[in-house]
Amino acid sequence: MSATLGDYVEWLGQGEIREIERLAGFLGPLRVQHINSTAEGGGVAEILHRLIPLKKEVGLHPQWTVIEGEQAFFDATKAFHNALHGRRTEISREAFHVFRETGKKNLNKVQRDADVVVIHDPQPLPLVEARDQTRARWVWRCHIDLSEADPRVWGFLRGFVERFDAAIFHLPEYTQHVGIDQYLLMPAIDPLSEKNRDLPSGEVQKVLERFSVDPERPILLQVSRFDYLKDPLGVLEAYRKVKRWADCQLVLAGGGASDDPEGERVYREVLSRVDDADVHVLQLPPDSHREINALQRAATIVIQKSIKEGFGLVVTEAMWKGKPVIGGNVGGIRRQVLHGVTGFLVNTVEGAAFRIRQLLSDPVLRQRMGEQARELVRSRFLLPHYLRNWLLVLLALRNPGRGVFRLGLPAD
Ligand code: UDP
């Protein structure tokens, strides 16, 4: 059963909840169609699963639609994704063609009577071709870090983006020179979801047992899609360096997303480098929310050594469970892992190994950072915060032409 807004009072207070209801009241039964490219796996699907019911509860009429595409389309969009994240990537002319054509085939998915159409990430961007058949306002919700985007790919996509009314980015450094309004808002996690709600310790123990992880010895954990940008190989190397000095186990848990064709290759590469019984590489089905919840709760330290990271919901999830996080010094991780306060930011394998050793040897520091981490999430990154900022964007869309807005972002 879905949570109701009132269920969040214990963390946000009655005032915040009333404000959300009041803001929603100004909007009325607005028809908001969200369109993305996967129903499960990855952060976008994770958020939509929880945001849609809550938007419904406050009186909006949200809808979630997933576009369809062939393998060649997802190969193309994964290559775009890597290139937008600044990774050197070969992209054929054919990939651009497939991208456009798949867009055309999905045009009928646009709800003609929508008031607002929200396109998530680059995959469904060409659906904006259907714009003239609607009277909707069009919003591009970008979840990735565009600060070092490959100019060829961004130059191509930008032609679509400029036909929207507005774009939403996580962070100021991701904004672009596009002639449309841009909003900044950071995502959030749902404390009441299977992924994040409290679990009895017996259940945590059972999950460890199932995966043959020893509950008596320290556990280092990274949860991620198997993706080079999440640097699972770097985590493995850091673990090896630590292991020479300190007893610990490493769990690399992840699964695929239906719009990410690279996962299997990266998973196999990680597996091929493991020669230690204390390393557990777990390929989990997409509905493994309770298992991930349990692993995050059982972890001594959570690692997210990404090379690029739009936001990093897994970091938020771990912090909510009171864990110190050692994170790559990139993107949205930097807004969550406050260096020396909620965890440590690292730039190298050596840096990661150093901080792991430091935290393993200092339970008091771990405890303090974990508490601070949870409080940061409580105050900024819970789902109702995100809903509130969304409502503000929907209201602001009525009054366009204002440039860049920051919503719920603290000053730098
Ligand atoms: N996730 C999951 N199963 C996996 C790997 C990840 O459910 O095997 C979830 C994870 O808990 C988080 C989301 O997918 O909620 C990943 O979001 P994030 O922003 O960290 O990264 P993305 O995959 O969007 O790049």
Side-chain angles (χ1 to χ4, degrees):
M1 207 182 67
S2 276
T4 65
L5 206 48
D7 295 333
Y8 298 87
V9 167
E10 70 170 291
W11 300 296
L12 284 104
Q14 196 61 258
E16 178 91 11
I17 301 297
R18 280 215 198 95
E19 195 176 325
I20 291 172
E21 286 166 346
R22 220 168 293 146
L23 285 172
F26 291 127
L27 288 162
L30 201 71
R31 286 180 292 265
V32 184
Q33 185 185 21
H34 292 265
I35 305 180
N36 83 324
S37 60
T38 179
E40 51 197 16
V44 179
E46 185 83 22
I47 296 173
L48 286 178
H49 272 297
R50 308 300 299 180
L51 184 66
I52 299 282
L54 222 48
K55 278 192 170 171
K56 212 172 266 175
E57 196 208 320
V58 296
L60 272 59
H61 288 186
Q63 191 182 320
W64 177 9
T65 307
V66 178
I67 57 164
E68 285 160 35
E70 310 278 332
Q71 181 65 36
F73 171 71
F74 291 113
D75 288 342
T77 55
K78 183 66 203 250
F80 288 4
H81 178 87
N82 288 337
L84 290 172
H85 269 127
R87 205 170 142 212
R88 280 181 65 86
T89 313
E90 283 298 314
I91 299 177
S92 65
R93 287 166 63 119
E94 178 62 14
F96 292 100
H97 176 71
V98 168
F99 183 74
R100 274 186 191 284
E101 289 306 304
T102 305
K104 280 187 196 149
K105 287 185 197 149
N106 280 283
L107 286 181
N108 61 355
K109 295 219 187 291
V110 174
Q111 200 184 318
R112 296 306 191 255
D113 63 348
D115 298 305
V116 179
V117 176
V118 183
I119 296 290
H120 290 265
D121 278 345
Q123 296 92 332
L125 271 176
L127 269 62
V128 73
E129 302 283 348
R131 167 171 195 142
D132 294 344
Q133 295 156 40
T134 66
R135 50 181 190 81
R137 297 204 200 267
W138 283 65
V139 178
W140 184 45
R141 188 7 169 168
C142 176
H143 298 260
I144 57 188
D145 172 357
L146 291 183
S147 57
E148 291 176 291
D150 174 299
R152 183 172 168 229
V153 174
W154 173 240
F156 169 72
L157 295 177
R158 192 188 154 140
F160 297 106
V161 172
E162 288 189 322
R163 297 177 60 187
F164 283 69
D165 294 283
I168 305 179
F169 297 100
H170 295 324
L171 300 177
E173 52 269 37
Y174 300 172
T175 55
Q176 296 295 316
H177 293 287
V178 278
I180 58 174
D181 287 339
Q182 299 180 63
Y183 298 94
L184 302 175
L185 52 141
M186 289 195 276
I189 57 158
D190 186 352
L192 296 170
S193 68
E194 288 285 290
K195 180 75 56 66
N196 296 309
R197 66 163 55 137
D198 283 344
L199 284 184
S201 63
E203 189 165 343
V204 174
Q205 296 301 316
K206 266 193 215 138
V207 169
L208 292 184
E209 218 169 276
R210 200 173 115 207
F211 294 128
S212 310
V213 179
D214 181 355
E216 303 300 328
R217 294 158 54 221
I219 300 168
L220 313 178
L221 170 73
Q222 176 160 302
V223 175
S224 282
R225 287 180 294 105
F226 287 98
D227 182 327
Y228 291 111
L229 292 173
K230 310 284 184 185
D231 201 18
L233 299 173
V235 177
L236 196 56
E237 253 185 84
Y239 159 82
R240 286 215 182 96
K241 287 185 191 296
V242 172
K243 186 73 182 199
R244 281 190 239 139
W245 307 94
D247 182 33
C248 57
Q249 309 164 84
L250 173 65
V251 179
L252 291 172
S258 61
D259 60 351
D260 178 2
E262 261 182 355
E264 191 59 29
R265 196 181 330 141
V266 178
Y267 169 70
R268 282 179 198 288
E269 187 167 350
V270 172
L271 264 193
S272 73
R273 301 212 189 171
V274 173
D275 51 4
D276 175 338
D278 280 336
V279 178
H280 305 267
V281 184
L282 311 178
Q283 201 177 33
L284 303 174
D287 59 352
S288 308
H289 304 300
R290 283 182 94 85
E291 287 79 357
I292 290 176
N293 187 344
L295 289 169
Q296 288 169 331
R297 287 179 191 282
T300 315
I301 300 167
V302 170
I303 303 168
Q304 191 55 46
K305 207 198 147 305
S306 304
I307 294 164
K308 284 278 174 179
E309 192 63 73
F311 183 69
L313 285 175
V314 279
V315 172
T316 335
E317 289 160 6
M319 288 171 58
W320 179 243
K321 286 150 196 144
K323 303 298 165 177
V325 176
I326 296 177
N329 186 13
V330 292
I333 296 178
R334 279 200 281 231
R335 303 303 170 114
Q336 304 184 71
V337 177
L338 308 182
H339 190 70
V341 180
T342 64
F344 291 112
L345 291 169
V346 297
N347 297 296
T348 59
V349 165
E350 289 71 23
F354 174 77
R355 294 302 184 183
I356 294 169
R357 282 184 64 196
Q358 180 183 359
L359 278 177
L360 279 179
S361 66
D362 192 340
V364 176
L365 181 62
R366 286 204 305 270
Q367 168 87 17
R368 192 171 67 233
M369 285 185 157
E371 283 164 10
Q372 287 162 173
R374 181 170 164 103
E375 175 51 23
L376 187 73
V377 175
R378 190 207 59 75
S379 65
R380 286 191 202 157
F381 302 124
L382 295 185
L383 192 62
H385 295 126
Y386 191 49
L387 173 64
R388 179 180 185 278
N389 289 334
W390 251 113
L391 298 177
L392 290 171
V393 169
L394 293 172
L395 282 167
L397 282 174
R398 295 177 173 175
N399 195 9
R402 304 296 156 128
V404 177
F405 294 80
R406 295 165 77 105
L407 293 166
L409 264 183
D412 286 322

